Amino acid sequence: MDGALQGQIFLTMSVFSRVAGLLLLLPVLGGRGLPLPARAFIALILTCVVVPVVWSKAADVPDGILDGVLILASEFLLGLAYSALLNLFFAALIMAGDLIGRMGGVAISTLFDPATGEELPVLSNFLLFAGLAVFVILGGFELFLTGFLDTFIDLPPGSVVYSPAYTETLLAMLKSATVLAIRLAAPVIVSTTVVYLALGIIGRTIPQLNVLSLSFSGMSFILFGVLCLGMGSILYVFQHEVETAVTTIFSL
């Protein structure tokens, strides 16, 4: 087989590996979003779109099978890392929902997810689906996909090498996602803490009053009231942080 043809075939395989790694965990499409055959079809379509653009940057064919497998694996892991970094911020929504549920006394409320066979917190699911909707409607998905496709120009297939900047970016994203979860849950945490302190004072002042039953009935109203008032701010902060994260991820 001609060497140039071998290079083009290996280029196509490298592009497909990076795209397949991305679609494995990418929100909306990956994970529980689409079945595996559908994701494979989308990966094939994106590969057909990308390959003509990078056709002139075909990498040299590796000398051995092991070298080729290592290159394809590095391409797959690169795409997987991009989607995993983005997923950190959706995991922050789940963490925020869990914090809100625990502070509001509704953490026991769960729904059965037939896709995973697990019981998931109701508030975590609500925030996750709301965040996904905002991410798609406001163009976050297109922004992320555009940045990913640009990586084939800045980092041609077959040229992926490890850099300490990757580890620094991972740690920075972990920190940002953790802080984001606390920021999203902060309004409810502050409100419920104030209410618990007030109920404690009332309980000490009026021992005859059943504060426990009062807290169970009143805390749910306070929780959902704060959520209704602050939902716009929560989603705005989430979208802003995700857009900043996408810019940081693809600036390497």
Side-chain angles (χ1 to χ4, degrees):
M1 185 182 295
D2 182 69
L5 180 59
Q6 291 180 350
Q8 304 299 345
I9 294 176
F10 187 73
L11 171 70
T12 304
M13 294 174 61
S14 300
V15 172
F16 182 82
S17 297
R18 190 184 300 187
V19 175
L22 178 80
L23 293 180
L24 187 64
L25 295 178
L26 184 66
V28 181
L29 298 182
R32 295 172 290 167
L34 291 177
L36 188 60
R39 278 179 276 167
F41 180 71
I42 295 175
L44 183 61
I45 293 177
L46 290 177
T47 301
C48 294
V49 172
V50 171
V51 167
V53 178
V54 296
W55 195 255
S56 60
K57 299 184 179 182
D60 296 332
V61 180
D63 296 330
I65 296 178
L66 180 60
D67 293 336
V69 170
L70 290 176
I71 292 176
L72 294 178
S74 65
E75 292 288 342
F76 180 83
L77 290 176
L78 180 63
L80 186 65
Y82 285 136
S83 58
L85 288 175
L86 181 62
N87 263 314
L88 287 176
F89 291 86
F90 290 95
L93 287 174
I94 298 176
M95 181 179 176
D98 187 61
L99 288 173
I100 292 172
R102 292 179 185 277
M103 292 299 297
V106 295
I108 196 173
S109 301
T110 58
L111 287 176
F112 178 75
D113 186 0
T116 61
E118 299 177 353
E119 296 283 343
L120 300 177
V122 174
L123 285 176
S124 295
N125 270 314
F126 172 71
L127 290 180
L128 177 61
F129 289 128
L132 284 172
V134 170
F135 180 70
V136 173
I137 293 173
L138 297 185
F141 186 78
E142 289 81 0
L143 177 66
F144 183 84
L145 191 59
T146 301
F148 173 74
L149 295 178
D150 288 341
T151 63
F152 289 98
I153 304 299
D154 302 327
L155 194 63
S159 62
V160 178
V161 293
Y162 173 76
S163 171
Y166 297 159
T167 304
E168 295 175 0
T169 301
L170 173 60
L171 295 176
M173 294 296 102
L174 283 171
K175 178 182 176 181
S176 298
T178 305
V179 172
L180 175 62
I182 297 174
R183 289 177 61 191
L184 296 180
V188 175
I189 292 176
V190 173
S191 301
T192 53
T193 300
V194 171
V195 173
Y196 282 132
L197 289 174
L199 290 175
I201 295 173
I202 294 173
R204 296 288 291 181
T205 306
I206 312 175
Q208 296 82 3
L209 186 64
N210 192 346
V211 177
L212 185 61
S213 61
L214 181 63
S215 64
F216 281 146
S217 58
M219 194 57 67
S220 298
F221 289 104
I222 295 173
L223 169 64
F224 290 108
V226 173
L227 276 179
C228 290
L229 292 175
M231 198 62 199
S233 299
I234 289 175
L235 295 179
Y236 173 80
V237 170
F238 169 75
Q239 180 65 16
H240 179 268
E241 289 296 324
V242 169
E243 290 179 353
T244 303
V246 169
T247 304
T248 302
I249 292 171
F250 294 116
S251 65
L252 290 176

